[in-house]
């Protein structure tokens, strides 16, 4: 059966890489990246679940996330987060939309493909990320972890997606920057494209979709230079987290 539905992740696909947002957040919070990463690891060990996983499934609030992180930092560190600046406000100062890829998705929609957004995201941050993207104009279906109480890579959230779309996994291709999320999608029968940069993602989608997936070479070249992943590891993993 031909693939006619393109499902995309949010953070690290429709935005700049998560590692850039993580580094910018640490600087704005007046923390080193090691201090921030260490606090997240310590909070994970204390509660048995990453703070972002709890936040993205609605089990804790943004304020509780902040409290868990502050509790694991040296005394006085992260004071910016206690002085009227929310975690989300600082996080989104380092977040930029991946405009070339968004434009490419508009092209796919104009060619008759259905589009869906499958995101691990945060209740308090919905106005922030929706302000950066033409969500309702672009996507037929949006599945957001905090509303469903389950997040990628749990199979449950993919089944919510299939139910909302009214199609089976064999008709979908999924684009995500996190390997475990792509693996989960493939195990359920979807095709998956691991996002590293826009140029490569467009090339892989063209292979999957055929002529309808062909994109603008100029747009892809610009995005490839601007959106390449920085460094060897991305904080789009279970410890560092962030909407994706």
């Amino acid at each position: 059966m031909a693939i006619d539905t393109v499902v995309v992740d949010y953070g690290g696909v429709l935005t700049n890489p998560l590692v850039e947002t993580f580094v910018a957040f640490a600087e704005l919070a007046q923390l080193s990246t090691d201090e921030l990463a260490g606090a997240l690891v310590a909070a994970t060990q204390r509660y048995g679940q990453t703070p972002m996983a709890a936040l993205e499934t609605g089990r804790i609030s943004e304020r509780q996330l902040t409290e868990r992180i502050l509790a694991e930092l040296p005394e006085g560190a992260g004071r910016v987060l206690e002085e009227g600046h929310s975690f989300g406000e600082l996080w989104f100062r380092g977040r930029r939309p991946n405009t070339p890829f968004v434009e490419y998705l508009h092209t796919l929609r104009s060619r008759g493909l259905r589009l869906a957004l499958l995101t691990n995201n945060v209740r308090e941050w919905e106005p922030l990320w929706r302000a950066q993207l033409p969500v309702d104009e672009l996507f037929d279906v949006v599945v957001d972890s905090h509303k469903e109480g389950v997040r990628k890579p749990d199979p449950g959230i993919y089944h919510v997606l299939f139910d909302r779309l009214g199609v089976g996994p064999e008709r979908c291709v999924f684009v995500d920057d996190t390997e475990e999320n792509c693996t989960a999608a493939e195990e359920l029968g979807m095709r998956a494209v691991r996002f590293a940069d826009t140029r490569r993602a467009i090339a892989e989608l063209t292979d999957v979709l055929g002529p309808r997936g062909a994109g603008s070479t100029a747009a892809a070249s610009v995005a490839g230079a601007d959106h390449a992943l920085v460094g060897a590891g991305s904080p789009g993993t279970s410890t560092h987290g962030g909407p994706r």
Side-chain angles (χ1 to χ4, degrees):
M1 187 176 294
I3 290 175
D4 58 10
T5 303
V6 179
V7 182
V8 300
D9 173 38
Y10 165 65
V13 175
L14 301 182
T15 73
N16 56 319
L18 289 169
V19 66
E20 293 181 3
T21 305
F22 185 84
V23 170
F25 173 86
E27 182 177 351
L28 289 164
Q30 299 175 10
L31 298 168
S32 70
T33 55
D34 286 345
E35 285 177 320
L36 180 55
L40 288 165
V41 169
T44 299
Q45 293 171 343
R46 184 181 300 276
Y47 292 97
Q49 183 182 39
T50 69
M52 286 306 304
L55 183 65
E56 290 171 348
T57 52
R59 289 175 172 82
I60 63 172
S61 67
E62 179 188 44
R63 185 60 213 167
Q64 288 172 305
L65 167 80
T66 303
E67 290 169 352
R68 289 188 181 188
I69 292 171
L70 289 172
E72 306 298 342
L73 290 169
E75 185 175 354
R79 187 170 298 168
V80 171
L81 292 168
E82 297 181 299
E83 296 176 348
H85 297 282
S86 71
F87 193 107
E89 175 196 346
L90 298 185
W91 184 262
F92 276 83
R93 287 191 197 178
R95 173 138 287 181
R96 306 186 311 277
N98 180 4
T99 301
F101 195 67
V102 172
E103 291 174 351
Y104 170 68
L105 292 179
H106 275 293
T107 300
L108 295 184
R109 188 174 179 87
S110 72
R111 293 171 183 165
L113 290 156
R114 296 182 73 196
L115 301 180
L117 178 65
L118 180 61
T119 176
N120 290 347
N121 227 309
V122 177
R123 178 184 297 107
E124 291 91 339
W125 300 355
E126 187 167 6
L128 297 172
W129 65 264
R130 280 182 171 268
Q132 292 186 332
L133 298 167
V135 177
D136 295 325
E137 173 187 337
L138 196 57
F139 298 108
D140 298 284
V141 168
V142 176
V143 177
D144 188 328
S145 64
H146 87 261
K147 295 181 179 179
E148 308 304 330
V150 62
R151 69 199 284 273
K152 297 173 290 182
D154 190 303
I157 197 166
Y158 297 89
H159 286 295
V160 171
L161 171 74
F162 304 144
D163 288 344
R164 300 265 172 85
L165 285 169
V167 301
E170 69 281 355
R171 288 176 54 183
C172 302
V173 57
F174 177 54
V175 185
D176 196 292
D177 63 322
T178 303
E179 183 174 1
E180 63 180 355
N181 295 342
C182 289
T183 299
E186 290 175 331
E187 289 175 349
L188 291 169
M190 302 173 78
R191 290 287 296 273
V193 170
R194 171 79 182 277
F195 189 99
D197 63 62
T198 299
R199 175 167 33 200
R200 279 181 278 179
I202 291 174
E204 291 188 47
L205 284 168
T206 300
D207 287 342
V208 173
L209 299 169
R212 289 192 300 173
S216 163
T217 302
S221 296
V222 170
D226 181 58
H227 200 72
L229 285 170
V230 177
S234 166
T237 60
S238 60
T239 297
H240 297 238
R244 51 198 183 273

